[in-house]
Coordinates of all heavy atoms in Angstrom, one line a residue:
M25 N -16.5 48.9 -41.3 CA -15.2 48.2 -41.4 C -14.2 49.2 -42.0 O -13.0 49.2 -41.5 CB -15.4 47.0 -42.3 CG -14.1 46.3 -42.5 SD -14.4 44.7 -43.2 CE -12.8 44.1 -43.4
A26 N -14.5 50.0 -42.9 CA -13.6 51.0 -43.5 C -13.1 51.9 -42.4 O -11.9 52.3 -42.4 CB -14.2 51.7 -44.7
A27 N -14.0 52.3 -41.5 CA -13.6 53.2 -40.4 C -12.6 52.5 -39.5 O -11.6 53.1 -39.0 CB -14.8 53.6 -39.6
D28 N -12.8 51.2 -39.2 CA -11.9 50.4 -38.4 C -10.5 50.4 -39.0 O -9.5 50.6 -38.3 CB -12.4 49.0 -38.2 CG -13.6 48.9 -37.3 OD1 -13.8 49.9 -36.5 OD2 -14.3 47.9 -37.3
I29 N -10.4 50.2 -40.3 CA -9.2 50.1 -41.0 C -8.5 51.5 -41.0 O -7.3 51.6 -40.7 CB -9.4 49.7 -42.5 CG1 -9.8 48.2 -42.5 CG2 -8.1 49.9 -43.3 CD1 -10.2 47.7 -43.9
S30 N -9.2 52.5 -41.2 CA -8.6 53.9 -41.2 C -8.1 54.2 -39.8 O -7.0 54.8 -39.6 CB -9.7 54.9 -41.6 OG -10.0 54.8 -42.9
E31 N -8.9 53.8 -38.8 CA -8.4 54.0 -37.4 C -7.2 53.3 -37.1 O -6.2 53.8 -36.4 CB -9.5 53.7 -36.4 CG -10.7 54.6 -36.4 CD -11.9 54.1 -35.6 OE1 -11.7 53.3 -34.7 OE2 -13.0 54.6 -35.9
R32 N -7.1 52.0 -37.5 CA -5.9 51.2 -37.3 C -4.7 51.8 -38.0 O -3.6 51.9 -37.4 CB -6.1 49.8 -37.7 CG -7.1 49.0 -36.9 CD -7.3 47.6 -37.4 NE -8.3 46.9 -36.6 CZ -8.6 45.6 -36.8 NH1 -8.0 45.0 -37.8 NH2 -9.5 45.1 -36.1
I33 N -4.9 52.2 -39.2 CA -3.8 52.8 -40.0 C -3.3 54.1 -39.3 O -2.1 54.3 -39.1 CB -4.2 53.1 -41.4 CG1 -4.3 51.8 -42.2 CG2 -3.2 54.0 -42.1 CD1 -4.9 51.9 -43.6
R34 N -4.2 54.9 -38.9 CA -3.9 56.1 -38.2 C -3.1 55.8 -36.9 O -2.1 56.4 -36.6 CB -5.1 56.9 -37.9 CG -4.9 58.4 -37.5 CD -6.2 59.2 -37.4 NE -7.0 59.0 -38.6 CZ -8.2 58.5 -38.7 NH1 -8.8 58.0 -37.6 NH2 -8.9 58.3 -39.8
E35 N -3.6 54.8 -36.1 CA -2.9 54.5 -34.8 C -1.5 53.9 -35.1 O -0.6 54.3 -34.3 CB -3.8 53.5 -34.1 CG -3.3 53.2 -32.7 CD -4.2 52.3 -31.9 OE1 -5.4 52.2 -32.2 OE2 -3.7 51.7 -30.9
V36 N -1.4 53.1 -36.0 CA 0.0 52.5 -36.3 C 0.9 53.6 -36.8 O 2.1 53.7 -36.4 CB -0.1 51.4 -37.4 CG1 1.3 51.0 -37.9 CG2 -0.9 50.2 -36.8
A37 N 0.4 54.5 -37.7 CA 1.2 55.6 -38.2 C 1.7 56.5 -37.0 O 2.9 56.9 -37.0 CB 0.5 56.4 -39.2
E38 N 0.8 56.8 -36.1 CA 1.2 57.6 -35.0 C 2.2 56.9 -34.1 O 3.2 57.5 -33.6 CB -0.1 58.0 -34.2 CG -1.0 59.0 -34.8 CD -2.3 59.2 -34.1 OE1 -2.4 58.7 -33.0 OE2 -3.2 59.9 -34.7
A39 N 2.0 55.7 -33.8 CA 2.9 54.9 -33.0 C 4.3 54.8 -33.6 O 5.3 54.8 -32.8 CB 2.3 53.5 -32.7
R40 N 4.4 54.7 -34.9 CA 5.7 54.6 -35.5 C 6.3 55.9 -36.0 O 7.4 55.9 -36.4 CB 5.5 53.6 -36.8 CG 5.2 52.2 -36.4 CD 5.2 51.3 -37.6 NE 5.0 49.9 -37.2 CZ 4.9 49.0 -38.1 NH1 5.0 49.2 -39.4 NH2 4.8 47.7 -37.7
G41 N 5.5 56.9 -36.0 CA 5.9 58.2 -36.4 C 6.2 58.3 -37.9 O 7.1 58.9 -38.4
V42 N 5.3 57.6 -38.7 CA 5.4 57.6 -40.1 C 4.1 58.0 -40.7 O 3.1 58.0 -40.1 CB 5.8 56.2 -40.6 CG1 7.2 55.8 -40.1 CG2 4.8 55.2 -40.3
P43 N 4.1 58.4 -42.0 CA 2.9 58.8 -42.7 C 1.9 57.6 -42.8 O 2.4 56.5 -42.9 CB 3.3 59.3 -44.1 CG 4.8 59.5 -44.0 CD 5.3 58.6 -42.9
E44 N 0.7 57.9 -42.9 CA -0.3 56.8 -43.0 C -0.1 56.1 -44.3 O -0.4 54.9 -44.4 CB -1.8 57.4 -43.0 CG -2.1 57.9 -41.6 CD -3.5 58.5 -41.5 OE1 -4.3 58.2 -42.4 OE2 -3.8 59.3 -40.6
S45 N 0.3 56.8 -45.4 CA 0.5 56.1 -46.7 C 1.6 55.0 -46.6 O 1.5 54.0 -47.2 CB 0.9 57.2 -47.7 OG 2.1 57.8 -47.3
E46 N 2.6 55.3 -45.7 CA 3.6 54.2 -45.5 C 3.1 53.0 -44.8 O 3.4 51.9 -45.2 CB 4.8 54.8 -44.7 CG 6.0 53.9 -44.6 CD 7.2 54.6 -43.9 OE1 7.4 55.8 -44.1 OE2 7.9 53.8 -43.2
V47 N 2.2 53.2 -43.8 CA 1.6 52.1 -43.1 C 0.7 51.3 -44.1 O 0.8 50.1 -44.1 CB 0.8 52.6 -41.9 CG1 0.0 51.5 -41.3 CG2 1.7 53.3 -40.9
F48 N 0.0 52.0 -44.9 CA -0.9 51.4 -45.9 C -0.1 50.5 -46.8 O -0.4 49.4 -47.1 CB -1.8 52.4 -46.6 CG -2.7 51.8 -47.6 CD1 -3.9 51.2 -47.1 CD2 -2.4 51.7 -48.9 CE1 -4.8 50.6 -48.0 CE2 -3.3 51.1 -49.8 CZ -4.5 50.6 -49.3
E49 N 1.0 51.1 -47.3 CA 1.9 50.4 -48.3 C 2.4 49.1 -47.6 O 2.4 48.0 -48.2 CB 3.0 51.3 -48.7 CG 3.9 50.7 -49.7 CD 5.0 51.6 -50.2 OE1 4.9 52.8 -50.0 OE2 6.0 51.1 -50.8
Q50 N 2.9 49.2 -46.4 CA 3.5 48.1 -45.7 C 2.4 47.0 -45.5 O 2.7 45.8 -45.6 CB 4.1 48.5 -44.4 CG 5.4 49.3 -44.5 CD 5.9 49.8 -43.2 OE1 5.3 49.6 -42.1 NE2 7.0 50.5 -43.2
A51 N 1.2 47.4 -45.1 CA 0.1 46.5 -44.8 C -0.3 45.8 -46.1 O -0.5 44.6 -46.2 CB -1.1 47.2 -44.3
F52 N -0.3 46.5 -47.2 CA -0.6 45.9 -48.5 C 0.4 44.9 -48.9 O 0.1 43.8 -49.4 CB -0.8 47.0 -49.6 CG -1.1 46.5 -51.0 CD1 -2.4 46.1 -51.3 CD2 -0.1 46.4 -51.9 CE1 -2.6 45.6 -52.5 CE2 -0.3 45.9 -53.2 CZ -1.6 45.5 -53.5
E53 N 1.7 45.3 -48.8 CA 2.8 44.3 -49.1 C 2.7 43.1 -48.3 O 2.9 42.0 -48.8 CB 4.1 45.0 -49.0 CG 4.4 46.0 -50.1 CD 5.7 46.8 -49.9 OE1 6.4 46.5 -48.9 OE2 6.0 47.7 -50.7
R54 N 2.5 43.2 -47.0 CA 2.4 42.0 -46.1 C 1.3 41.1 -46.5 O 1.4 39.9 -46.6 CB 2.3 42.4 -44.7 CG 3.5 42.8 -44.0 CD 3.3 43.1 -42.5 NE 4.5 43.4 -41.8 CZ 4.5 43.5 -40.5 NH1 3.4 43.4 -39.8 NH2 5.7 43.8 -39.9
G55 N 0.1 41.7 -46.7 CA -1.0 41.0 -47.1 C -0.8 40.3 -48.5 O -1.2 39.1 -48.6
L56 N -0.2 41.0 -49.4 CA 0.0 40.4 -50.7 C 1.0 39.2 -50.6 O 0.9 38.2 -51.2 CB 0.5 41.4 -51.7 CG 0.8 41.0 -53.1 CD1 -0.5 40.4 -53.7 CD2 1.2 42.2 -54.0
D57 N 2.0 39.4 -49.8 CA 3.0 38.3 -49.5 C 2.3 37.1 -49.0 O 2.6 36.0 -49.5 CB 4.1 38.8 -48.5 CG 5.1 39.7 -49.1 OD1 5.1 39.9 -50.4 OD2 5.8 40.4 -48.3
V58 N 1.4 37.2 -48.1 CA 0.7 36.1 -47.5 C -0.2 35.4 -48.6 O -0.1 34.2 -48.7 CB -0.2 36.5 -46.3 CG1 -1.1 35.4 -45.9 CG2 0.7 36.9 -45.1
L59 N -0.9 36.2 -49.4 CA -1.7 35.6 -50.4 C -0.8 34.9 -51.5 O -1.2 33.8 -51.9 CB -2.5 36.7 -51.1 CG -3.6 37.4 -50.2 CD1 -4.2 38.6 -50.9 CD2 -4.7 36.4 -49.8
W60 N 0.3 35.5 -51.8 CA 1.2 34.9 -52.8 C 1.7 33.6 -52.3 O 1.8 32.6 -53.0 CB 2.3 35.9 -53.2 CG 3.2 35.4 -54.2 CD1 3.0 35.3 -55.6 CD2 4.5 34.8 -54.0 NE1 4.0 34.8 -56.2 CE2 5.0 34.5 -55.3 CE3 5.3 34.6 -52.9 CZ2 6.3 33.9 -55.5 CZ3 6.6 34.1 -53.1 CH2 7.0 33.7 -54.4
E61 N 2.2 33.5 -51.0 CA 2.7 32.3 -50.5 C 1.6 31.2 -50.5 O 1.9 30.1 -50.7 CB 3.2 32.6 -49.0 CG 4.5 33.3 -49.0 CD 4.9 33.7 -47.6 OE1 4.2 33.3 -46.6 OE2 6.0 34.3 -47.5
D62 N 0.4 31.6 -50.2 CA -0.7 30.6 -50.2 C -0.9 30.0 -51.6 O -1.1 28.8 -51.7 CB -2.1 31.3 -49.8 CG -2.2 31.6 -48.3 OD1 -1.3 31.1 -47.5 OD2 -3.1 32.3 -47.9
V63 N -0.8 30.8 -52.6 CA -0.9 30.3 -54.0 C 0.3 29.4 -54.3 O 0.0 28.3 -54.9 CB -0.9 31.5 -55.0 CG1 -0.7 31.0 -56.4 CG2 -2.2 32.3 -54.9
V64 N 1.5 29.8 -53.9 CA 2.6 28.9 -54.2 C 2.5 27.6 -53.5 O 2.7 26.5 -54.1 CB 4.0 29.6 -53.8 CG1 5.1 28.6 -53.8 CG2 4.2 30.8 -54.7
L65 N 2.1 27.6 -52.2 CA 1.9 26.4 -51.4 C 0.8 25.5 -52.0 O 0.9 24.3 -52.1 CB 1.7 26.7 -50.0 CG 2.9 27.3 -49.2 CD1 2.4 27.7 -47.8 CD2 4.0 26.4 -49.2
S66 N -0.3 26.1 -52.4 CA -1.4 25.4 -53.0 C -0.9 24.7 -54.3 O -1.2 23.5 -54.6 CB -2.6 26.3 -53.3 OG -3.1 26.7 -52.1
K67 N -0.2 25.4 -55.1 CA 0.3 24.8 -56.4 C 1.2 23.7 -56.1 O 1.2 22.7 -56.8 CB 1.0 25.9 -57.3 CG 0.0 26.9 -57.9 CD 0.8 27.8 -58.8 CE -0.2 28.7 -59.6 NZ 0.5 29.6 -60.5
Y68 N 2.1 23.8 -55.1 CA 3.0 22.8 -54.8 C 2.2 21.5 -54.3 O 2.5 20.4 -54.7 CB 4.0 23.2 -53.7 CG 4.8 22.1 -53.1 CD1 5.6 21.3 -53.9 CD2 4.6 21.7 -51.8 CE1 6.3 20.2 -53.3 CE2 5.3 20.7 -51.2 CZ 6.1 19.9 -52.0 OH 6.7 18.8 -51.4
L69 N 1.3 21.7 -53.4 CA 0.6 20.6 -52.8 C -0.4 20.0 -53.8 O -0.7 18.8 -53.7 CB -0.2 21.1 -51.5 CG 0.7 21.5 -50.4 CD1 -0.2 22.1 -49.3 CD2 1.5 20.3 -49.8
D70 N -0.7 20.7 -54.8 CA -1.6 20.1 -55.9 C -0.7 19.6 -57.1 O -1.3 19.3 -58.1 CB -2.5 21.2 -56.4 CG -3.6 21.6 -55.5 OD1 -3.9 20.8 -54.5 OD2 -4.2 22.7 -55.6
D71 N 0.6 19.5 -56.9 CA 1.5 19.0 -57.9 C 1.5 19.8 -59.1 O 1.8 19.3 -60.2 CB 1.2 17.5 -58.2 CG 1.5 16.6 -57.0 OD1 2.5 16.8 -56.3 OD2 0.7 15.6 -56.9
E72 N 1.3 21.1 -59.0 CA 1.4 22.0 -60.2 C 2.7 22.7 -60.2 O 3.0 23.4 -61.1 CB 0.2 23.0 -60.1 CG -1.1 22.4 -60.3 CD -2.3 23.4 -60.1 OE1 -2.0 24.6 -60.1 OE2 -3.4 23.0 -59.9
L73 N 3.5 22.5 -59.1 CA 4.8 23.2 -59.0 C 5.7 22.3 -58.3 O 5.3 21.6 -57.3 CB 4.6 24.5 -58.1 CG 5.7 25.4 -58.0 CD1 6.1 26.1 -59.3 CD2 5.4 26.5 -57.0
S74 N 6.9 22.2 -58.8 CA 7.9 21.2 -58.2 C 8.3 21.7 -56.8 O 8.2 22.9 -56.5 CB 9.2 21.1 -59.1 OG 9.9 22.3 -59.0
R75 N 8.8 20.8 -56.0 CA 9.3 21.1 -54.7 C 10.4 22.1 -54.7 O 10.4 23.1 -54.0 CB 9.7 19.8 -54.0 CG 10.0 20.0 -52.5 CD 10.3 18.7 -51.8 NE 10.2 18.8 -50.4 CZ 11.2 19.1 -49.6 NH1 12.4 19.3 -50.1 NH2 11.1 19.1 -48.3
D76 N 11.4 21.9 -55.6 CA 12.5 22.8 -55.7 C 12.0 24.2 -56.1 O 12.5 25.2 -55.5 CB 13.5 22.3 -56.8 CG 14.3 21.1 -56.3 OD1 14.3 20.9 -55.1 OD2 14.8 20.4 -57.2
A77 N 11.1 24.3 -57.0 CA 10.6 25.7 -57.4 C 9.9 26.3 -56.3 O 10.0 27.5 -56.0 CB 9.7 25.6 -58.6
A78 N 9.1 25.5 -55.5 CA 8.3 26.1 -54.4 C 9.3 26.5 -53.3 O 9.1 27.6 -52.7 CB 7.4 25.0 -53.8
I79 N 10.4 25.7 -53.0 CA 11.4 26.1 -52.0 C 12.0 27.4 -52.5 O 12.3 28.3 -51.6 CB 12.4 25.0 -51.8 CG1 11.8 23.8 -51.1 CG2 13.6 25.5 -51.1 CD1 12.6 22.6 -51.1
E80 N 12.3 27.5 -53.7 CA 13.0 28.8 -54.2 C 12.1 30.0 -54.0 O 12.6 31.1 -53.7 CB 13.3 28.6 -55.7 CG 14.0 29.7 -56.4 CD 14.4 29.5 -57.8 OE1 14.9 28.3 -58.1 OE2 14.1 30.3 -58.6
R81 N 10.8 29.8 -54.1 CA 9.9 30.9 -54.0 C 9.5 31.3 -52.6 O 9.4 32.5 -52.2 CB 8.6 30.7 -54.8 CG 8.8 30.6 -56.3 CD 7.6 30.3 -57.0 NE 7.9 30.2 -58.4 CZ 7.0 30.0 -59.4 NH1 5.7 29.9 -59.0 NH2 7.3 29.8 -60.6
V82 N 9.3 30.3 -51.7 CA 8.9 30.6 -50.3 C 9.8 30.1 -49.2 O 9.6 30.4 -48.1 CB 7.4 30.1 -50.1 CG1 6.4 30.8 -51.0 CG2 7.3 28.6 -50.2
G83 N 10.8 29.3 -49.6 CA 11.7 28.9 -48.6 C 11.4 27.5 -48.1 O 10.2 27.0 -48.1
L84 N 12.4 26.8 -47.6 CA 12.3 25.4 -47.2 C 11.4 25.3 -46.0 O 10.6 24.3 -45.9 CB 13.7 24.8 -46.9 CG 13.8 23.4 -46.4 CD1 13.2 22.4 -47.4 CD2 15.2 23.0 -46.0
A85 N 11.5 26.2 -45.0 CA 10.8 26.1 -43.8 C 9.3 26.0 -44.1 O 8.5 25.2 -43.5 CB 11.1 27.2 -42.8
K86 N 8.8 26.9 -45.0 CA 7.4 26.9 -45.3 C 6.9 25.7 -46.0 O 5.8 25.2 -45.8 CB 7.1 28.2 -46.0 CG 7.2 29.4 -45.1 CD 6.8 30.7 -45.8 CE 6.9 31.8 -44.8 NZ 7.0 33.1 -45.3
I87 N 7.8 25.2 -46.9 CA 7.4 23.9 -47.6 C 7.3 22.8 -46.6 O 6.4 22.0 -46.6 CB 8.4 23.6 -48.7 CG1 8.4 24.7 -49.8 CG2 8.2 22.3 -49.3 CD1 7.1 24.9 -50.4
E88 N 8.3 22.7 -45.7 CA 8.3 21.6 -44.7 C 7.1 21.7 -43.8 O 6.5 20.7 -43.5 CB 9.6 21.6 -43.9 CG 10.8 21.1 -44.7 CD 12.1 21.1 -44.0 OE1 12.2 21.9 -43.0 OE2 13.0 20.4 -44.4
R89 N 6.7 22.9 -43.4 CA 5.5 23.0 -42.6 C 4.3 22.6 -43.3 O 3.4 21.9 -42.8 CB 5.4 24.5 -42.1 CG 4.2 24.7 -41.2 CD 4.1 26.1 -40.7 NE 2.9 26.2 -39.9 CZ 2.5 27.3 -39.3 NH1 3.3 28.3 -39.3 NH2 1.4 27.3 -38.6
A90 N 4.2 23.0 -44.6 CA 3.0 22.6 -45.4 C 2.9 21.1 -45.5 O 1.8 20.5 -45.5 CB 3.1 23.3 -46.8
E91 N 4.1 20.5 -45.7 CA 4.1 19.0 -45.9 C 3.7 18.4 -44.6 O 2.9 17.4 -44.6 CB 5.5 18.6 -46.3 CG 5.9 19.0 -47.7 CD 7.4 18.8 -48.0 OE1 8.2 18.7 -47.0 OE2 7.7 18.7 -49.2
R92 N 4.2 18.9 -43.4 CA 3.8 18.3 -42.1 C 2.3 18.5 -41.9 O 1.6 17.5 -41.5 CB 4.5 19.0 -41.0 CG 5.9 18.5 -40.8 CD 6.5 19.0 -39.5 NE 6.4 20.4 -39.3 CZ 7.3 21.3 -39.7 NH1 8.4 21.0 -40.4 NH2 7.1 22.6 -39.4
E93 N 1.7 19.6 -42.2 CA 0.3 19.9 -42.1 C -0.5 19.0 -43.0 O -1.5 18.4 -42.6 CB 0.0 21.3 -42.3 CG 0.5 22.3 -41.3 CD 0.3 23.7 -41.6 OE1 -0.1 24.1 -42.7 OE2 0.7 24.6 -40.7
R94 N -0.1 18.8 -44.2 CA -0.8 17.9 -45.1 C -0.7 16.4 -44.6 O -1.8 15.7 -44.6 CB -0.1 17.9 -46.5 CG -0.7 16.9 -47.5 CD 0.2 16.7 -48.7 NE 1.5 16.2 -48.3 CZ 2.6 16.4 -49.0 NH1 2.6 17.0 -50.2 NH2 3.7 15.9 -48.6
D95 N 0.4 16.0 -44.1 CA 0.5 14.7 -43.6 C -0.4 14.5 -42.4 O -1.0 13.4 -42.2 CB 2.0 14.4 -43.2 CG 2.9 14.3 -44.4 OD1 2.4 14.2 -45.5 OD2 4.1 14.3 -44.2
L96 N -0.5 15.5 -41.5 CA -1.4 15.4 -40.3 C -2.8 15.3 -40.8 O -3.6 14.5 -40.2 CB -1.2 16.5 -39.4 CG 0.2 16.5 -38.7 CD1 0.4 17.8 -37.9 CD2 0.2 15.3 -37.7
V97 N -3.2 16.0 -41.8 CA -4.6 16.0 -42.2 C -4.9 14.6 -42.8 O -5.9 14.0 -42.6 CB -4.9 17.1 -43.3 CG1 -6.2 16.9 -44.0 CG2 -4.9 18.5 -42.6
E98 N -3.9 14.1 -43.6 CA -4.1 12.8 -44.2 C -4.2 11.7 -43.1 O -5.0 10.8 -43.2 CB -3.0 12.4 -45.2 CG -3.0 13.2 -46.4 CD -1.8 13.0 -47.3 OE1 -0.9 12.3 -46.9 OE2 -1.8 13.6 -48.5
Q99 N -3.4 11.8 -42.1 CA -3.5 10.9 -40.9 C -4.9 10.9 -40.3 O -5.5 9.9 -39.9 CB -2.4 11.1 -39.9 CG -1.1 10.8 -40.4 CD 0.0 11.2 -39.4 OE1 -0.3 11.5 -38.3 NE2 1.3 11.2 -39.9
D100 N -5.4 12.2 -40.1 CA -6.7 12.3 -39.5 C -7.8 11.7 -40.4 O -8.7 11.1 -39.9 CB -7.0 13.8 -39.3 CG -6.3 14.4 -38.1 OD1 -5.7 13.6 -37.3 OD2 -6.3 15.6 -37.9
V101 N -7.7 11.9 -41.6 CA -8.7 11.4 -42.6 C -8.6 9.8 -42.5 O -9.7 9.2 -42.4 CB -8.5 11.9 -44.0 CG1 -9.4 11.1 -45.0 CG2 -8.8 13.4 -44.1
D102 N -7.4 9.3 -42.6 CA -7.3 7.8 -42.5 C -7.9 7.3 -41.2 O -8.6 6.3 -41.2 CB -5.8 7.4 -42.6 CG -5.3 7.6 -44.0 OD1 -6.0 7.7 -44.9 OD2 -4.0 7.6 -44.1
W103 N -7.6 8.0 -40.1 CA -8.1 7.5 -38.8 C -9.6 7.6 -38.8 O -10.3 6.6 -38.4 CB -7.6 8.4 -37.7 CG -8.1 8.1 -36.3 CD1 -7.7 7.1 -35.5 CD2 -9.3 8.6 -35.7 NE1 -8.4 7.1 -34.4 CE2 -9.4 8.0 -34.5 CE3 -10.2 9.6 -36.1 CZ2 -10.5 8.3 -33.6 CZ3 -11.2 9.9 -35.2 CH2 -11.4 9.2 -34.0
G104 N -10.2 8.6 -39.4 CA -11.7 8.8 -39.4 C -12.3 7.7 -40.3 O -13.4 7.2 -40.0
L105 N -11.7 7.4 -41.3 CA -12.2 6.3 -42.2 C -12.1 4.9 -41.7 O -12.9 4.1 -42.0 CB -11.5 6.4 -43.6 CG -11.8 7.7 -44.4 CD1 -10.9 7.6 -45.7 CD2 -13.3 7.8 -44.8
N106 N -11.2 4.7 -40.8 CA -11.0 3.4 -40.2 C -11.4 3.3 -38.8 O -11.2 2.2 -38.2 CB -9.5 3.0 -40.3 CG -9.0 3.0 -41.8 OD1 -9.7 2.3 -42.6 ND2 -7.9 3.6 -42.1
A107 N -12.1 4.3 -38.2 CA -12.5 4.2 -36.8 C -13.7 3.4 -36.7 O -14.5 3.2 -37.5 CB -12.7 5.6 -36.3

């Protein structure tokens, strides 16, 4: 797996004409952003964070999407319990 990551970093660096360290830094930041957003959304959906605070941190579009997804899951569960 480490070899795959190194190969990917090398290939992206070559394609963009940037150092491998820059590619690694960008990949780390993107990954961290996704993990951080997951934490914010989880806290919001678990009522540990207000809607306004969550919107401030990740934006309205992501909050609305999380709410729609939660509502769909709840509808599926209700359907399954009443089928």
